[in-house]
């Protein structure tokens, strides 16, 4: 049916004028139009122009004839007539076009919208959408790169606890800013309790339907930073076969204004405009001015390519009071709602049919049956900027901050309305408008709005209150309801913390009381805040509807919650409220509530989520075993600030501090008064008076002084020398009650009575005079802790005797402790203190430690003047004998002991008994006191090694002990303990400083594949020394039973001392296993061992002459998992090679090659055949059999044996077969032809993993100096395996560097990064840097590593590689600066321990004592920060 013109009457009554009613299309043959979109657009514009001209010329009202002649029907004449008749009878439809306005019900998954960020949380963002809608974007829906980073951090959190780090997750506040425009797509809708619109910003999702041909200059779209390059950024546009490039100069203005001057980070979302498209690359800009004015000139080739946020042109095809209908680019219908047309514009007057306008697309709903596109004409949206306010000025602040919820607006004028509500203009605010929903106009129901009459007619002014703000619509949502205008609290932000408010009880729940603060705000009174005392039946006191007065404790704007208290102690508190730590000062007083009671104190909560810690010593004046018995959670306490640190958010408070100060002040005043007023007093300090003994206690005498003043005479003030005491267990037995004695007054002392001190009670005190019988003493007053020094000697009295320590008093009020190992030189006495000591016993003591902050003293009992007094490591000397307490027993390593509370020691298994046994610790137990002798002191490391051997402790006992390396003799059998099992072999301790290594080949007479299970740490073994290197102090031994039992066992007892810890050990020789070391550190060690293995293989490349099997390289043997050759250090390999080369006897060489097969080495082919019957899968046997044939010049037989091995070995023994293949390749390379080698190589590729075979062959070529073939093979490998195996690139680079092709090697790095997957890039770059350090230019290696570390500053494994390279390079100053740099960064405590340990090792090896001390100070400072 053709389009009809409306009649004159219809034209007058219609609310809209339209020229685009749907036209009928005719398909006579079913074909489609051959016109292009551009041709469609030109025709449409021409038709529109003709129609408007026709309308002007026919204004007289002739509209009865149809606009187009009807086409002749192609069906039968009867049917045609019926159809025509029916058409004529139909009434013309209304020309009104539906103007789309969004709401939640209309939303569908796949709808794309232009949004604006209104709030940024930690893990998501709130996005304001058109028409008052709001959506949420989680952190995982921003970009693919950011999602991958989030998953990585989440996986790391599962593996180990987060401290810092990771931490490593970027803050959304650093990547976005409130008010930023974004394009998003709906990915989910939730309509259960809360309506939630889930959104995604990922370009791959938002631009899913955008085709490359429609990406033209002027197009704006969202993009994510994919990588950062030297001259710009690579962006992910989400368009297939197209990548974005952002030059640095085009990002400068955005970075400075919106990104705080920081470069864009990988994964960051940006809005950009396309400037030019070249092939697969689109050059873009993020300059906000250019993006805001970028206009799409070329029409979209398809409807699905239309995206929200595009600035386009269109022709108006319908003007209605509620909006416009526009033909975008002459092709696609777009509607513009009245809310997105400036409020100062009269829609029906200012817009004409056919008028060309520029607008921005707002939303697209293209996944529904009816396609819908919405647009906007608001100025701020057209510019993608913020609205203008008064005087055409734009605010730097977010509009919602200028007009927060709850603020008032006077004189808002109603400017436009519809059935849903009214739009209002704001006084002097040009770019903003307001909207009042019809339900918000008045408290009573408003059925309909009338713009010409009534209270809310057009032009009427009102007072309004802000409810919220939508930045996309530039619209303030308002209310005119009188009840809301009168409401005190409309939003949580209106409530002030600490204020007192009136509430109404709503209901009781498990968490507390729900109260109504205002019509729209509810609050919670937690259970602990219901009252000062615990309520058993709160429902009787707090009934629904009851009016109560509360105080605001905390307002949580993120969770939209307010917490209140009903405690009278807080409501009526006369002290200032603690709401901000920055306003609190020392000695400030306030009330708080205990929220947690711990062993060492409690946590006190104040207002605004502010908490403080009260130490146990500041909670009560007397010692309490369990603070929970005295203090309860929810108890209100008055607190005084002891210290405050706003930077670290630390607040320390006291419950008794004010009383302590008053006591000390009163005591000080009393002393001063006593000094001034007692000049003529008989009890003045220093005066001698007559006293009567009132009573005799164990440690003191109670006296009666003149004027009935109480006095006290302590044992320590009775004797001037310990020798004067006749009965030390009862030192006061010579005195009797009522005996009169002459005493010297020392002074008055206040003593607190032992009673709990409630906060409301005053301190209870009593006084007595301290006296002395030491008339010749220079001390004028009573002894005080502050006057005591380490090393001072006193007469003390034992009071409390416990199993682990005893308390000693050196005056009536000064005491300390003596650990049980320091009580006597007899361990029997120390282990049974209660049997040998009594309370009140006098002892002679010396102070060995003092803690001024806690006023604590530690003593040692002096039995004689020759006993060593140990106060620090400087007092220790080798050979000293003393007591020690066993702290821990480890059957694998030995003992850890305590000398005193500051000094610990260790004793290895070989330092426990003179005659070594299976379990030398069997007779010992933890906590036992034993005698020990000092073996070695390392004061700089605070390390002490001791021995429990009787021969070390008692000079009259003799025993043989391996004390030095020189004591070991070759060919002798010794006993010891296994100290380490590593890939390099088994290490056995023979003495404190003597260790022997047993290679894998010397562990057992028979072949054992899983050799590591043969020996465990701490196992008692017998071994025979087979080689001694006197220059390097290395011992090689054998554990083979056949070797050991050839000679009688040397009865000398051998001790297993520890590896000389970090000083003498190397990772290759004696690796220590640290269970606390994290996986990252293990990876670092593995990488180091792999590098050393590669170096040893490089150094071992020597050509082999024909049939000289001693130098013939059997790579198959070296590749065995149990082979130790590749794990040994370079020095050991060189030494072994030198030793073997010195042997000239060929028979001896043959015997050495086969000695590891069995006790009786095979000498004939029959011997090998017999062994192979028992071990048919042993490649080790097969290869040695081949070597035996080669020794006889039987090359063909050796080849046949290799083929037999491949057929015989079980197919699942892949490594064993691999070893044989490699051996055959070696054989063909040395004794065959190129053709036979290639034929064998092709066969091996079929049965083995290709890359391994390639690597083995290329190494064979290199060792045999066939460099051209090696180079060709390397190139072939990079083509075949370069995209999967990074080792191919690093191996080729090493080959090039070693053969003077450094430039080619450097070019391989860029080539490798183009083909390798991204997750391999970092390790590959680091490997190339290591190659530069080791084999080429160290400065190039530094440059490469600096680039890596700038992108991965938290990777300690990479920093460790960097440090190792610098250490090996030998520039100690550079290395030292690098250590300083890494140590200043933040890592976990485990990683920092690893770093400081490594630094200390470096300084001990290459630095001075000052350098070592500097590292220790750094470490100590870090530990102190950690403990704080």
């Amino acid at each position: 049916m053709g389009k009809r013109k409306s009649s004159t009457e219809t034209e007058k009554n219609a609310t809209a004028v339209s020229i685009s009613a749907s036209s009928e299309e005719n398909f006579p043959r079913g074909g489609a139009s051959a016109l292009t979109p551009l041709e469609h657009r030109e025709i449409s514009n021409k038709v529109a122009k003709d129609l408007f001209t026709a309308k002007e010329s026919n204004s007289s009202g002739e509209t009865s004839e149809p606009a187009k002649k009807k086409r002749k029907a192609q069906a039968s004449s009867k049917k045609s007539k019926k159809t025509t008749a029916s058409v004529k009878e139909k009434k013309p439809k209304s020309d009104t076009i539906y103007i789309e306005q969004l709401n939640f019900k209309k939303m569908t998954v796949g709808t794309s919208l232009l949004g604006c960020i209104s709030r940024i949380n930690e893990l998501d963002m709130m996005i304001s959408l058109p028409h008052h809608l709001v959506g949420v974007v989680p952190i995982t829906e921003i970009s693919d790169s950011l999602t991958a980073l989030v998953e990585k951090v989440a996986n790391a959190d599962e593996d180990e606890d987060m401290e810092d780090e990771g931490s490593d997750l970027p803050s959304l506040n650093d990547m976005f800013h409130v008010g930023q425009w974004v394009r998003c797509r709906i990915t989910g809708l939730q309509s259960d309790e809360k309506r939630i619109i889930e959104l995604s910003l990922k370009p791959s999702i938002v631009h899913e339907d955008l085709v490359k041909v429609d990406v033209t200059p002027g197009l704006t779209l969202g993009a994510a930073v994919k990588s950062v390059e030297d001259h710009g950024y690579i962006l992910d546009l989400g368009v297939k076969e197209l990548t974005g490039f952002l030059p640095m100069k085009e990002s400068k203005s955005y970075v400075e204004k919106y990104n705080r001057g920081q470069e864009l980070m990988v994964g960051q979302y940006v809005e950009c405009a396309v400037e030019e498209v070249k092939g697969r690359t689109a050059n873009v800009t993020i300059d906000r001015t250019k993006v805001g004015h970028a206009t799409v000139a070329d029409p979209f080739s398809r409807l699905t390519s239309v995206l929200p946020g595009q600035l386009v042109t269109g022709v108006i095809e319908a003007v209605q009071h509620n909006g416009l209908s526009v033909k975008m680019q002459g092709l696609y219908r777009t509607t513009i709602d009245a809310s997105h047309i400036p409020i100062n514009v009269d829609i029906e007057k200012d817009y004409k049919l056919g008028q060309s306008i520029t607008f921005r697309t707002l939303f697209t709903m293209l996944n529904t049956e009816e396609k819908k596109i919405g647009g906007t004409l608001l100025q701020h949206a057209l510019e993608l900027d913020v609205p203008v306010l008064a005087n055409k000025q734009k605010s730097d602040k977010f509009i919602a901050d200028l007009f927060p919820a709850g603020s008032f607006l006077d004189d808002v004028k109603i400017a436009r309305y519809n059935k849903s509500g009214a739009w209002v203009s704001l006084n002097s605010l040009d770019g903003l408008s307001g909207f009042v929903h019809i339900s918000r106009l008045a408290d009573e129901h408003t059925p309909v709005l009338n713009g010409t009459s009534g209270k809310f007619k057009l032009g009427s002014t009102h007072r309004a209150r802000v409810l919220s703000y939508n930045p996309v619509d530039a619209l303030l949502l308002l209310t005119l309801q009188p009840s809301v205008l009168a409401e005190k609290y409309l939003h949580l932000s209106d409530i002030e913390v600490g204020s007192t408010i009136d509430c109404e009880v709503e209901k009781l729940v498990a968490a507390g009381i729900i109260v109504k603060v205002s019509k729209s705000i509810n609050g919670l009174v937690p259970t602990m805040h219901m009252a000062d005392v615990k309520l058993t039946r709160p429902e009787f006191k707090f009934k629904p509807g009851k009016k109560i007065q509360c105080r605001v404790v905390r307002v949580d704007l993120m969770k939209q919650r307010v917490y209140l208290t009903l405690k009278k102690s807080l409501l009526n508190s006369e002290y200032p409220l603690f709401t901000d730590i920055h306003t609190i000062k020392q000695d400030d007083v306030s009330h708080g509530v205990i929220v947690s009671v711990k062993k060492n104190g409690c946590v006190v909560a104040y207002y605004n989520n502010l908490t403080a810690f009260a130490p146990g010593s500041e909670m009560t004046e007397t010692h309490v075993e369990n603070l929970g018995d005295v203090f309860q959670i929810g108890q209100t306490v008055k607190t005084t600030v002891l210290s405050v640190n706003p930077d670290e958010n630390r607040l320390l408070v006291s419950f008794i501090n004010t009383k302590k100060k008053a006591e000390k002040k009163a005591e000080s005043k009393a002393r001063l008064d006593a000094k001034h007023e007692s000049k003529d007093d008989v009890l003045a300090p220093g005066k001698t008076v007559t006293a009567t003994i009132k009573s005799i206690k164990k440690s003191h005498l109670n006296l009666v002084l003149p004027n009935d003043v109480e006095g006290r005479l302590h044992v320590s003030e009775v004797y001037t020398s310990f020798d004067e005491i006749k009965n030390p267990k009862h030192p006061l037995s010579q005195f009797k009650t009522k005996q009169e004695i002459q005493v010297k007054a020392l002074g008055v002392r206040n003593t607190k009575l032992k009673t709990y001190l409630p906060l409301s009670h005053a301190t209870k005190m009593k006084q007595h005079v301290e006296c002395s019988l030491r008339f010749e003493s220079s001390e004028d007053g009573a002894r005080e802790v502050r006057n005591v020094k380490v090393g001072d000697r006193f007469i003390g009295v034992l009071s409390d005797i416990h199993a682990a320590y005893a308390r000693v008093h050196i005056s009536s009020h000064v005491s300390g402790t003596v650990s049980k190992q320091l009580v006597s030189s007899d361990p029997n006495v120390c282990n049974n203190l209660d049997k040998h000591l009594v309370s009140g016993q006098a002892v002679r003591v010396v102070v060995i430690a003092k803690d001024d902050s806690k006023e604590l003293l530690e003593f040692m009992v002096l039995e004689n003047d020759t006993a060593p007094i140990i106060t620090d490591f400087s007092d220790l000397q080798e050979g000293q004998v003393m007591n020690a307490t066993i702290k821990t027993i480890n059957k694998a390593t030995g003992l850890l002991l305590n000398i005193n509370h500051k000094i610990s020691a260790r004793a290895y298994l070989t330092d426990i008994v003179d005659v070594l046994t299976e379990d030398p610790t069997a007779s010992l137990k933890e906590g036992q006191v034993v005698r020990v002798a000092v073996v070695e002191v390392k004061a700089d490391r605070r390390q002490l090694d001791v021995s429990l051997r009787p021969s070390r402790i008692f000079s009259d006992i003799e025993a043989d002990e391996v004390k030095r390396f020189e004591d070991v003799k070759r060919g002798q059998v010794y006993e010891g303990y296994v100290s380490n099992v590593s890939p390099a072999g088994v290490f056995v301790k023979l003495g404190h400083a003597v260790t022997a290594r047993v290679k894998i080949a010397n562990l057992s007479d028979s072949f054992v594949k899983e050799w590591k299970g043969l020996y465990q740490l701490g196992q008692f073994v017998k071994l025979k020394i087979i080689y001694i290197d006197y220059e390097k102090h290395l011992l090689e031994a054998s554990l083979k039973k056949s070797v050991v039992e050839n000679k009688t066992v040397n009865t000398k007892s051998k001790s297993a001392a520890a590896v000389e810890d970090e000083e003498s050990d190397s990772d290759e020789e004696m690796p220590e296993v640290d269970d606390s070391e994290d996986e990252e550190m293990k990876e670092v060690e593995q990488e180091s061992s792999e590098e050393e293995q590669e170096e040893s293989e490089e150094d071992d490349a020597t050509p082999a002459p024909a049939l000289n099997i001693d130098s013939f390289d059997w790579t198959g043997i070296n590749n065995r998992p149990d082979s130790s050759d590749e794990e040994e250090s370079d020095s050991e390999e060189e030494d072994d090679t030198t030793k073997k080369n010195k042997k000239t006897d060929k028979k001896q060489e043959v015997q050495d090659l086969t000695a590891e097969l069995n006790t009786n080495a095979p000498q004939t082919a029959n011997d090998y055949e017999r062994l192979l019957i028992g071990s048919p899968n042993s490649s080790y046997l097969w290869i040695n059999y081949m070597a035996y044939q080669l020794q006889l010049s039987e090359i063909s037989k050796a080849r046949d044996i290799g083929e037999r091995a491949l057929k015989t070995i079980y197919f699942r023994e892949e490594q064993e077969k691999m070893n044989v293949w490699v051996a055959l390749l070696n054989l063909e390379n040395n004794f065959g032809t190129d053709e036979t080698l290639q034929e064998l190589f092709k066969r091996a590729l079929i049965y083995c993993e290709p890359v391994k075979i390639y690597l083995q062959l290329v190494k064979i070529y290199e060792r045999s100096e066939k460099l051209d073939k090696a180079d060709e093979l390397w190139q072939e490998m990079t083509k075949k395996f370069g995209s999967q195996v990074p080792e191919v690139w690093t191996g080729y680079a090493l080959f090039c560097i070693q053969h003077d092709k450094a430039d080619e090697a450097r070019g391989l790095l860029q080539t490798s990064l183009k083909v390798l997957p991204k997750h391999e890039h970092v390790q590959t770059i680091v490997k190339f840097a290591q190659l530069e350090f080791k084999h080429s230019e160290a400065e190039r290696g530094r440059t490469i590593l600096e680039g890596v570390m700038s992108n991965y500053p938290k990777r300690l494994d990479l920093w460790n590689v960097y440090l190792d390279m610098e250490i090996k390079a030998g520039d100690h100053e550079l290395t030292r600066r690098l250590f300083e740099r890494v140590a200043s960064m933040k890592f976990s405590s485990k990683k920092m321990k690893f770093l400081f340990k490594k630094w200390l090792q470096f300084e001990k090896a290459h630095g001075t004592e000052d350098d070592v001390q500097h590292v220790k100070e750094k470490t100590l400072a870090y530990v102190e920060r950690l403990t704080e």
Side-chain angles (χ1 to χ4, degrees), residues 1262-1275:
E1262 291 178 22
R1263 282 192 290 268
S1264 56
E1265 296 296 328
K1266 298 179 181 179
L1267 302 182
D1268 293 338
K1269 292 184 178 181
D1271 189 84
E1272 292 176 3
L1273 196 59
W1274 275 120
Q1275 292 183 19

Side-chain angles (χ1 to χ4, degrees), residues 613-884:
F613 182 74
S617 59
E618 297 291 341
M619 294 174 65
T620 176
E621 293 187 350
T622 57
H623 178 68
V624 179
E625 288 293 335
N626 186 5
L627 294 173
D629 296 338
V630 182
F631 299 94
Q632 291 80 36
I633 293 177
Q635 179 180 346
T636 303
V637 290
K638 185 173 74 172
T639 61
T640 304
V641 177
L642 294 178
S643 63
V644 57
N645 189 338
D647 296 333
E648 298 182 5
N649 198 30
R650 295 184 62 183
L651 183 62
L652 202 65
V653 297
S654 170
F655 298 170
I656 60 174
N657 192 54
T658 52
K659 295 179 174 58
K660 273 193 172 183
K661 284 185 177 180
E663 293 167 13
K664 290 181 179 179
K665 188 175 181 180
E667 185 177 350
S668 177
K669 187 174 183 301
R671 288 179 179 175
L672 289 174
D673 293 343
K675 285 184 179 180
H676 292 298
E677 297 175 4
S678 62
K679 291 181 179 179
D680 300 326
D681 191 355
V682 293
L683 296 180
K687 287 284 186 178
T688 302
V689 297
T690 302
T692 303
I693 299 175
K694 181 179 179 181
S695 61
I696 302 174
K697 304 297 181 182
K698 291 183 179 180
S699 61
H700 66 272
L701 301 175
N702 288 328
L703 307 175
V704 177
L705 303 177
N707 300 327
D708 291 331
V709 176
E710 291 187 2
R712 177 180 292 178
L713 176 61
H714 194 263
V715 172
S716 60
E717 296 293 340
V718 174
Y719 303 101
T720 57
S721 171
F722 187 80
D723 297 332
E724 298 175 4
I725 304 175
K726 297 179 180 180
N727 186 0
K729 290 193 175 183
H730 303 284
L732 298 177
S733 59
Q734 65 192 65
F735 296 98
K736 297 180 180 179
T737 57
K738 297 184 180 181
Q739 178 182 349
E740 291 187 353
I741 56 175
Q742 295 291 315
V743 297
K744 180 174 70 173
L746 297 179
V748 179
R749 178 166 181 81
N750 293 334
T751 303
K752 290 179 283 188
L753 294 179
K754 290 189 176 181
T755 138
Y756 288 110
L757 185 65
L759 299 177
S760 58
H761 290 188
T763 308
K764 297 181 179 180
M765 309 287 292
K766 74 173 184 178
Q767 293 182 340
H768 63 260
V769 177
E770 294 287 346
C771 301
S772 174
L773 291 181
R774 299 188 300 129
F775 298 102
E776 304 299 328
S777 173
S778 59
E779 296 181 13
D780 296 331
R783 189 171 294 148
E784 299 288 345
V785 175
R786 62 177 177 269
N787 300 325
V788 178
K789 300 177 182 177
V790 174
D792 289 349
R793 303 188 180 195
F794 301 99
I795 296 174
V797 180
L798 300 177
S799 57
D800 302 328
I801 299 175
H802 302 272
Y805 69 94
R807 182 162 291 280
V808 179
H809 286 264
I810 58 174
S811 74
S812 60
H813 56 278
V814 177
S815 64
T817 59
V818 54
S819 300
K820 65 179 183 178
Q821 72 268 24
L822 302 176
V823 171
S824 173
S825 60
D826 186 356
N828 186 40
V829 174
C830 299
N831 290 320
N832 301 278
L833 294 181
D834 55 342
K835 293 182 180 179
H836 297 86
L837 303 177
V838 294
S839 180
Q841 180 176 343
V843 290
R844 181 167 47 185
V845 295
V846 60
V847 181
I848 62 172
K850 177 185 177 183
D851 188 338
D852 292 319
S853 61
K854 297 182 179 179
E855 296 187 348
L856 298 178
L857 299 174
E858 184 177 5
F859 299 104
M860 173 184 172
V861 176
L862 288 176
E863 292 183 325
N864 53 66
D865 293 332
T866 61
I869 301 173
I870 309 300
T871 60
D872 199 358
F873 274 89
S874 58
D875 299 325
L876 292 167
Q877 296 178 3
E878 186 175 342
Q880 283 180 332
V881 179
M882 63 195 71
N883 284 354

Side-chain angles (χ1 to χ4, degrees), residues 8 30 54 127 490 595 612 630 633 778 788 868 1009 1043 1109 1155 1214 1386:
T8 306
I127 309 296
L490 181 63
V595 294
V630 182
I633 293 177
S778 59
V788 178
K1009 186 173 182 179
V1043 177
I1109 64 172
E1214 296 179 358
K1386 292 184 178 180

Side-chain angles (χ1 to χ4, degrees), residues 1358-1372:
L1358 301 183
W1359 283 113
N1360 185 65
V1361 173
Y1362 196 176
L1363 288 167
D1364 286 341
M1365 292 300 100
E1366 288 290 5
I1367 292 172
K1368 291 180 181 179
D1371 192 332
H1372 301 326

Side-chain angles (χ1 to χ4, degrees), residues 903-1039:
I903 301 176
S904 297
R906 58 184 181 179
Y908 294 101
L909 293 176
T910 51
D911 290 318
I912 297 176
V913 293
D914 278 332
V915 179
L916 302 190
T917 61
E918 294 285 347
D919 185 6
T921 64
S923 61
L924 304 174
K925 60 181 180 180
E926 293 182 358
Q928 180 180 347
V929 177
V930 293
R931 294 290 279 175
V932 298
V934 177
V935 176
E936 186 178 10
V937 182
K938 297 178 182 177
D940 55 341
R941 298 184 182 181
R942 300 189 65 81
Q943 182 177 311
L944 174 64
D945 294 337
V946 298
S947 174
L948 280 68
R949 283 175 172 261
S951 59
R952 289 265 192 177
I953 298 171
F954 304 103
S955 58
D956 56 341
I957 298 178
E958 293 184 1
D960 292 328
E961 179 184 356
V962 180
K963 297 181 179 179
R964 300 182 304 276
F965 179 82
E966 291 75 12
D967 295 340
V968 182
K969 305 298 180 183
R970 182 177 179 180
Q972 292 294 317
V973 177
Y974 295 91
E975 296 173 346
Y977 296 95
V978 175
S979 63
N980 194 13
V981 179
S982 75
V986 174
F987 295 85
V988 180
K989 284 293 183 182
L990 306 181
H992 177 76
V994 182
T995 305
R997 183 181 71 166
V998 183
K999 290 187 177 181
I1000 300 168
N1002 294 320
L1003 293 178
S1004 175
D1005 288 322
S1006 58
F1007 172 73
V1008 180
K1009 186 173 182 179
E1010 299 298 331
W1011 60 271
K1012 288 188 178 181
L1014 287 177
Y1015 299 97
Q1016 291 78 39
L1017 294 180
Q1019 182 175 342
F1020 175 70
V1021 295
K1022 295 180 181 180
L1023 51 78
K1024 184 176 182 180
I1025 303 298
I1026 59 176
Y1027 174 68
I1028 301 178
D1029 186 339
Y1030 291 98
E1031 292 182 1
K1032 299 180 180 178
H1033 279 215
L1034 298 177
L1035 297 176
E1036 295 290 345
S1038 174
L1039 286 171

